[in-house]
């Protein structure tokens, strides 16, 4: 997952305290980021609170796809 490229190097995720934000340019990259978060949780025992998790599509395409959390 390359993250999002702004006028600087790519930023794949932002982390502060117990908040994690992944940034992706495609649905496939977003799904890959979620798989990586899941692998981290499996390895460390951390849990994602699905009721406090969501995806934001800033520039939605004509056809949208769903992510599997």
């Amino acid at each position: 997952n390359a993250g999002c490229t702004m006028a600087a190097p790519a930023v794949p995720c932002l982390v502060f305290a117990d908040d994690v934000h992944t940034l992706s340019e495609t649905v496939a990259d977003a799904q890959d980021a979620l798989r990586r978060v899941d692998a981290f949780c499996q390895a460390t025992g951390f849990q994602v609170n699905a009721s406090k998790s969501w995806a934001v599509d800033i520039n939605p395409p004509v056809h949208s796809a769903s992510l599997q959390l």
Side-chain angles (χ1 to χ4, degrees):
N1 182 359
C4 293
T5 303
M6 296 167 247
V11 179
C13 68
L14 304 171
V15 179
F16 179 77
D18 65 346
D19 294 328
V20 176
H21 306 270
T22 62
L23 305 173
S24 304
E25 290 188 8
T26 67
V27 170
D29 284 348
Q31 190 65 62
D32 183 57
L34 288 176
R35 278 192 286 274
R36 290 171 188 251
V37 168
D38 182 56
F40 174 81
C41 290
Q42 294 291 326
T44 62
F46 279 85
Q47 295 181 339
V48 172
N49 186 340
S51 70
K52 294 171 58 177
S53 303
W54 61 90
V56 176
D57 194 346
I58 295 173
N59 189 16
V62 174
H63 303 290
S64 63
S66 62
L67 297 173
Q68 300 299 315
L69 180 62

